[in-house]
Amino acid sequence: MSRARRIAAEAKGTYRTFVRRRTAVFFTFFFPVLLIVIFAGLVRTQSGSGGLFSEPTGYYVPAYLATVVLFTPLSRVGSTVARHREGNRFEKLATTPLTRAEWLAAQTLVNVALIAAASAVLLVALKLTGAEFALSPWLAFFVPVASVVFCGIGAVLGSIADGQDGAIAMSNGVALPLLFLSETFVQPELFPEWFLPVVDFSPLTYFARGVRAATYSGGDVVTNAAVIAVLAVVAFAVGAVLIPWTE
């Protein structure tokens, strides 16, 4: 069996496992939409008022997309790696031709497909609320590539966590700060000046900057795209190496 067929077979099994988990399907697709209903539909933004949500809704498109791009791969890949560790599944997979990089590639393919579908639902929901933003072709780059970044990070968390519950807790502990400290919902000018260099260490920052430049404000899309691409390669490689294929 070729590498492509091994990855495809593992991805098919991963997808079937996902669709059997109705709770996972619900929160993947409808939790981000719920956020839009609350913040874009009910709370509304008040341009020029200062503080949180003082920008037009289009400004927050990267933030809403980040809820899927960030939380879905961190929690799903992290918990899957931890569950495989607990069940000694990696030791069994190690006896097959499948490699750890191929296994992670299959997990990543499924997550990218799910995240792309959920992101499409999000964008439609945002348009229905009257948000003004461009449907830039760059979205087809940033969403999947950033998903790869966080699939790799999720694999790292699942490899070092103490069990599946620990992996989920670590994923949430990483995702929540990143979501609000990466130029998503909070404008840079609201951070203390000393904290601004810290924001640049978040991979989600470059996703938010790139998507916002492409869909709303204009600016340097290419540099942010390049950074995200490099981070995707590094995160995937580190995640694959740390997967405990044999223990």
Side-chain angles (χ1 to χ4, degrees):
M1 181 181 290
S2 66
R3 174 173 297 178
R5 293 184 66 183
R6 290 196 297 269
I7 293 174
E10 181 65 25
K12 186 176 181 179
T14 299
Y15 172 76
R16 287 178 175 176
T17 299
F18 171 77
V19 296
R20 285 197 297 264
R21 298 174 181 268
R22 296 181 180 179
T23 303
V25 174
F26 177 83
F27 281 99
T28 297
F29 288 94
F30 294 103
F31 175 69
V33 175
L34 179 62
L35 288 180
I36 293 175
V37 171
I38 293 173
F39 292 112
L42 298 178
V43 175
R44 295 287 182 178
T45 57
Q46 298 179 3
S47 182
S49 63
L52 293 174
F53 296 100
S54 59
E55 298 289 342
T57 304
Y59 177 90
Y60 299 103
V61 168
Y64 294 122
L65 290 175
T67 61
V68 182
V69 169
L70 177 63
F71 281 91
T72 300
L74 281 184
S75 61
R76 292 198 70 249
V77 176
S79 62
T80 300
V81 171
R83 185 169 64 252
H84 277 49
R85 287 174 57 202
E86 292 177 341
N88 296 321
R89 297 182 186 180
F90 286 130
E91 292 184 357
K92 297 175 183 177
L93 288 173
T95 64
T96 71
L98 189 73
T99 67
R100 66 186 75 191
E102 291 170 354
W103 181 87
L104 183 56
Q107 301 294 319
T108 300
L109 282 174
V110 173
N111 276 275
V112 167
L114 294 172
I115 292 166
S119 296
V121 172
L122 271 173
L123 293 172
V124 171
L126 281 167
K127 283 293 187 182
L128 291 176
T129 65
E132 296 183 1
F133 62 93
L135 292 173
S136 170
W138 278 104
L139 288 170
F141 172 86
F142 279 103
V143 169
V145 176
S147 300
V148 174
V149 173
F150 293 108
C151 282
I153 295 175
V156 173
L157 297 180
S159 299
I160 64 177
D162 184 15
Q164 188 174 353
D165 290 341
I168 294 173
M170 289 180 67
S171 297
N172 291 332
V174 170
L176 281 173
L178 287 182
L179 182 62
F180 293 100
L181 302 178
S182 303
E183 296 188 15
T184 49
F185 287 107
V186 183
Q187 302 95 291
E189 56 268 21
L190 297 181
F191 291 123
E193 187 173 350
W194 62 266
F195 187 76
L196 291 177
V198 178
V199 175
D200 291 335
F201 284 96
S202 168
L204 193 63
T205 296
Y206 300 96
F207 170 80
R209 289 173 179 171
V211 171
R212 185 169 291 121
T215 63
Y216 180 75
S217 62
D220 189 355
V221 179
V222 175
T223 298
N224 292 294
V227 173
I228 282 292
V230 172
L231 290 175
V233 173
V234 173
F236 182 90
V238 174
V241 168
L242 290 183
I243 290 174
W245 210 236
T246 56
E247 294 186 353

